[in-house]
Amino acid sequence: FVYAGVRVADGALQQVQVGGDYFQSRAGQAAVQGQLRGCAIDGTLIGRAINDVYRDPRHVIEGLRHMDSLRAVILSAAEQASAHA
């Protein structure tokens, strides 16, 4: 499983924390958090940012069947946070 906690402001991600029962390198986690900071709450843009990070072989992620699950939980958390902001 995968979960995400986000902070949003002005329609953009300000902070992203993800976790679950998978493994990712610390460098990958830091890179994805940095890449998503300031990203608009848009599934396509979030997916592109995630793909850009994990395309780099230095950023290891294992245990996810579909990378889209990471995008989906971040987008869902962002939409919920935005609705309550």
Side-chain angles (χ1 to χ4, degrees):
F1 86 103
V2 181
Y3 65 86
V6 302
R7 194 179 64 181
V8 299
D10 301 322
L13 297 166
Q14 299 303 311
Q15 184 176 13
V16 177
Q17 294 285 5
V18 294
D21 60 350
Y22 63 92
F23 168 80
Q24 70 174 328
S25 65
R26 286 186 184 152
Q29 182 176 6
V32 96
Q33 289 171 343
Q35 189 82 357
L36 289 171
R37 192 172 299 115
C39 182
I41 300 171
D42 176 276
T44 300
L45 296 176
I46 292 169
R48 192 173 299 147
I50 291 167
N51 287 338
D52 286 349
V53 168
Y54 291 110
R55 193 173 290 129
D56 183 333
R58 296 174 297 165
H59 302 145
V60 176
I61 190 164
E62 297 175 359
L64 289 179
R65 289 184 184 207
H66 304 285
M67 288 299 289
D68 190 58
S69 60
L70 191 57
R71 180 204 62 83
V73 299
I74 293 169
L75 179 59
S76 177
E79 289 172 343
Q80 289 177 23
S82 183
H84 292 57

